[in-house]
Amino acid sequence: MMEKKLQELCSKSIEACSYEELYAALMTIVKEKSREKILPAEGRKLYYISAEFLIGKLLSNNLINLGLYEEADQCLQAHGKSMAELEEAEPEPSLGNGGLGRLAACFLDSLATLNLPGDGIGLRYHCGLFHQYFRKNLQTEEPDFWLSADTWTEDTGKTYPVSLAGREYQARLYQIDVTGYEGRTNKLNLFDLDTVDEALIQDGISFDKADIEKNLTLFLYPDDSDDAGRLLRIYQQYFMVSAGAQMILEECEKRGSNFHDLADYAAIQINDTHPSMVIPELIRLLMEKEIPFEEAVDIVTKTCAYTNHTILAEALEKWPVSFLEQVVPQLMPIIRALDETARKRTEDASTVILDENGIVHMAHMDIHFTHSTNGVAALHTEILKNSELHSFYKLYPEKFNNKTNGITFRRWLLSCNPELTSYLEELIGPGFRKDAAQLEKLADYADQEEVLRRLIEIKKHNKEKLADWLTEKQGITVNPESMFAIQAKRLHEYKRQQLNLLYLIHQYYEIKRGHVPAAPITAVFGAKAAPAYTIAKDIIHAILTLSQAIAHDPEVSQWIQVVMIENYNVTAAEKMIPACDLSEQISLASKEASGTGNMKFMLNGAVTLGTLDGANVEIAERVGEENIYIFGQSSAQVIRRYGHQDYCSREWYESDPNLRRAVDFLTGEEMLKYGCEENLTRLKNELTGKDWFQTFPDFNAYLVRKNQALEDFAVNPLKWARRCLINISQAGFFSSDRTIEAYQKEIWHLGK
Ligand code: 26Q
């Protein structure tokens, strides 16, 4: 059936087709099939509003979900074509930065899989997250034009008027089908503006930030390091929520809502503060329908719920009231009225929406005027309740709840690691495909040597595949016998790639002294830095420079190889994660809200080296201390240190000779041979003069634990494989199906 259809669509033999043609034809087949699974919503329906949906490539994922993958794969093979090469023809939609956007994508997959009515609402950026290139060991950015002629987004023909700075624009609705694994099809609704013009892009990713008509949906998160960028962000956010709110009201009215009962028809989940303006916008729209302010506030509070993804103060959005007055004057009377309402509820000045400096606190509006505020891992939620949002917790204890993040096993196991998947099926049957908790059955095999040997073999094979990919993409040769220690996530000081870097430098010196490690190590990094984040870019520079310095040193390069993957994205993650031995989750305790990469690595049989931060805490609880390498200060210690303001990095630098040696190396002659003095000096000064994320106090603990892991890996491979097995068997809890079921039971109550 597939074969005939493909030939028909291409109007030639499959052999004669290019991969682009086959990709377009398969996309058509998938779209037809997924359409059959669209169901009318009954009862309450979810709208997940998010500025990011980091969905990744869709073809293989949709084929798997629709049960068409095997057939497509065999059909291609029979005609001398390969699915792997076909996948290369698909551009990746990188409509997100990192964790928050990827989480939204995993949630959509789980909603459809669990047959829940739930759509996404976001923006159809013409360019996703920038394409990262390395030039002279520095990150450079180029636009990512992912929208080709054949795209998953379909024009619905519908538009909604949105008023920006007093001018009316039309938001055009595009949709992408979201398939569920043996489940229903939902929609991802993405809004765009017809007049956006890619010709506005100048050098790299720079463009005229003032020309809203041409730039509104041009880029995902334009640089917000200046006022023009920040204003554009507000324009984008309001465009998204206004069109989204109109769409929601229209749908609910069609389904019978009289708006007073909106909460019986809609649940709106606000993904961090980026879509927070949906609250005043909905109130405004309800008031246009003659609903009084107080009742509108009540309706919106019952309909909306808010998820917090960060405890970093600088990431909590606060806008000068003058910005909002300029872009969304129609919201200002409502925001002021909400502020007054909130002030009547408490005298606590730390919970105001509009403060005395003329700053609007978006998160405060969310907590006052939604019925649920959740954190994304147990520790994170506790920190929100007890410190960061303590005044709100005192006011509304019943609103606070935890929903530990999860990941979709369809993409992060079935699709990216077919070999492990089929071996698991051999051992424990196919039940885990739909019910992740069944992975626990694997624990019964923890002491069977032949099982452990097979796991080692599968890992080896995945490492070889990653090695081949690296050779092809970056011309690098790596040693699959070495330990693959991988740190893949956005570049941020709190995530502490610089700690990993200092470790590698330390090892460099140790090898020079004749203290060789227990096993050779391949340290793999994948990370993009925000274009305006200078120190993050300096860290990338230092990693790339160190990589070169080591590669040129025959003594050290036998033991250490440093690889930085260019343009880390979902597609790269799918290749890296199955090949990992040691998963680096080394954020400063209390700073990583959850992390989701940690879960992906564990599921694919890597052992975690991490701090007790975010969801690492829950991973550690599940696998037990013998199956994870934990190190470093506790979150309580860190919070105390910040409270006392007595951390002085220079003291640590001066009192620890190993640490000083490693830090000094940054600007030593080996590095300066390949690197740039300005960048390396700036990084060194940042560390010795500030080190805001306390890498120095954790340096020794990290070094000891990592070397222990290396030794365990080298000395007793079977025991190491047992740790991998236990990690896989305990990963079921981290399925996003479990997370979505908890949102459903405790917040959304979707359906009838
Ligand atoms: C804010 C203001 C101005 C410009 C940009 C932003 C901005 C953009 C993106 C703030 C935050 C983000 C993204 C945050 C994010 O990805 N957070 C991650 O969310 C994951 C899913 O819950 C967690 O697992 C991670 O721990 C958290 O860092």
Side-chain angles (χ1 to χ4, degrees), residues 276 279-281 283 293 296-297 300-301 331-345 353-354 365 368-369:
S276 298
I279 292 172
E281 177 64 2
I283 294 172
F293 175 74
V297 168
V300 169
T301 305
L331 288 189
M332 282 320 299
I334 295 172
I335 293 175
R336 289 183 201 281
L338 289 175
D339 180 53
E340 270 173 42
T341 309
R343 284 172 188 272
K344 281 184 203 141
R345 294 184 190 172
I353 294 173
L354 178 51
M365 190 165 67
H368 283 298
F369 298 106

Side-chain angles (χ1 to χ4, degrees), residues 52 97-101 103 221 224 233 274 309 315 317 319 376 405 494-495 592-596:
E52 306 189 15
N97 275 290
L100 164 150
L103 185 77
Y221 285 138
D224 75 331
R233 210 176 140 76
H274 320 155
H309 295 264
E317 287 178 304
W319 301 119
V376 291
N405 282 168
Y494 84 79
K495 295 180 186 285
E592 188 69 273
S594 163
T596 44

Side-chain angles (χ1 to χ4, degrees), residues 94-95 123-131 142-147 191-223 232-233 235-237 239:
S94 291
L95 310 185
L123 290 171
R124 183 177 178 267
Y125 304 104
H126 291 228
C127 297
L129 186 61
F130 64 85
H131 195 115
E142 291 294 332
D144 159 56
F145 299 103
W146 72 282
L147 279 171
F191 292 103
D192 198 358
L193 179 66
D194 290 348
T195 52
V196 164
D197 185 359
E198 285 153 26
L200 199 67
I201 303 172
Q202 299 148 356
D203 216 20
I205 53 168
S206 61
F207 62 97
D208 178 358
K209 287 187 188 153
D211 196 346
I212 297 305
E213 203 177 330
K214 292 188 178 162
N215 71 20
L216 188 64
T217 51
L218 190 54
F219 280 104
L220 160 78
Y221 285 138
D223 190 349
L232 176 51
R233 210 176 140 76
Y235 277 105
Q236 286 191 332
Q237 293 182 347
F239 185 75

Side-chain angles (χ1 to χ4, degrees), residues 398-653:
E398 73 291 348
K399 290 193 185 187
F400 282 76
N401 64 95
N402 175 246
K403 296 287 168 284
T404 298
N405 282 168
I407 56 173
T408 167
F409 284 25
R410 270 70 65 184
R411 184 176 292 268
W412 298 110
L413 178 63
L414 274 53
S415 167
C416 76
N417 202 341
E419 221 183 321
L420 179 60
T421 304
S422 60
Y423 185 52
L424 292 174
E425 184 160 344
E426 224 176 275
L427 292 175
I428 60 171
F432 72 95
R433 288 170 174 271
K434 282 224 95 161
D435 172 14
Q438 290 193 26
L439 283 177
E440 278 188 39
K441 292 188 201 163
L442 191 62
D444 297 345
Y445 299 89
D447 296 306
Q448 292 196 15
E449 192 175 325
E450 71 276 17
V451 172
L452 300 176
R453 292 208 183 279
R454 253 328 284 287
L455 287 179
I456 294 173
E457 236 173 73
I458 292 169
K459 183 64 76 182
K460 176 82 184 302
H461 189 215
N462 286 330
K463 288 165 80 172
E464 282 162 356
K465 282 209 300 206
L466 177 64
D468 291 345
W469 184 75
L470 279 170
T471 306
E472 189 195 316
K473 286 263 167 215
Q474 284 179 234
I476 300 172
T477 316
V478 297
N479 169 14
E481 301 289 339
S482 64
M483 175 192 252
F484 283 17
I486 306 189
Q487 188 171 13
K489 48 185 80 250
R490 279 303 287 255
L491 203 312
H492 202 294
E493 288 166 280
Y494 84 79
K495 295 180 186 285
R496 300 198 297 186
Q497 280 93 351
Q498 68 275 29
L499 178 59
N500 194 340
L501 176 77
L502 290 175
Y503 165 85
L504 294 166
I505 298 173
H506 174 79
Q507 287 299 97
Y508 172 101
Y509 276 115
E510 290 301 293
I511 293 165
K512 287 280 180 201
R513 288 206 311 153
H515 292 187
V516 298
I521 182 166
T522 301
V524 183
F525 292 86
K528 288 180 182 174
Y533 190 170
T534 307
I535 289 293
K537 288 178 134 178
D538 291 341
I539 294 172
I540 291 181
H541 178 66
I543 294 169
L544 290 168
T545 305
L546 178 68
S547 169
Q548 249 189 318
I550 290 179
H552 284 93
D553 186 320
E555 213 179 333
V556 181
S557 59
Q558 290 171 49
W559 294 101
I560 308 180
Q561 185 173 10
V562 180
V563 176
M564 178 118 204
I565 305 239
E566 202 167 40
N567 198 40
Y568 175 65
N569 59 8
V570 173
T571 308
E574 288 166 7
K575 319 239 181 227
M576 293 158 74
I577 290 168
C580 178
D581 296 306
L582 191 69
S583 157
E584 304 259 9
Q585 307 300 335
I586 61 177
S587 56
L588 175 64
S590 81
K591 294 295 175 189
E592 188 69 273
S594 163
T596 44
N598 45 4
M599 303 168 186
K600 294 165 196 165
F601 282 107
M602 164 196 205
L603 174 61
N604 284 275
V607 183
T608 303
L609 169 59
T611 50
L612 281 178
D613 198 15
N616 296 352
V617 176
E618 288 156 86
I619 294 178
E621 274 167 15
R622 285 187 160 72
V623 300
E625 62 181 36
E626 65 281 18
N627 298 305
I628 189 166
Y629 295 85
I630 294 294
F631 72 94
Q633 303 179 88
S634 69
S635 53
Q637 282 172 303
V638 170
I639 291 169
R640 224 174 300 130
R641 220 195 267 279
Y642 277 116
H644 294 153
Q645 299 186 347
D646 62 354
Y647 173 56
C648 172
S649 66
R650 185 156 290 277
E651 283 169 15
W652 291 79
Y653 168 78

Side-chain angles (χ1 to χ4, degrees), residues 285-335:
L285 292 170
L286 290 173
M287 287 171 73
E288 277 184 358
K289 299 186 190 294
E290 309 301 330
I291 294 177
F293 175 74
E294 285 76 17
E295 193 197 343
V297 168
D298 188 49
I299 294 170
V300 169
T301 305
K302 280 198 254 164
T303 305
C304 297
Y306 157 67
T307 304
N308 174 289
H309 295 264
T310 186
I311 37 190
L312 292 183
E314 63 268 29
L316 282 180
E317 287 178 304
K318 303 177 207 57
W319 301 119
V321 73
S322 61
F323 284 22
L324 295 180
E325 262 156 3
Q326 183 183 334
V327 181
V328 286
Q330 63 275 37
L331 288 189
M332 282 320 299
I334 295 172
I335 293 175

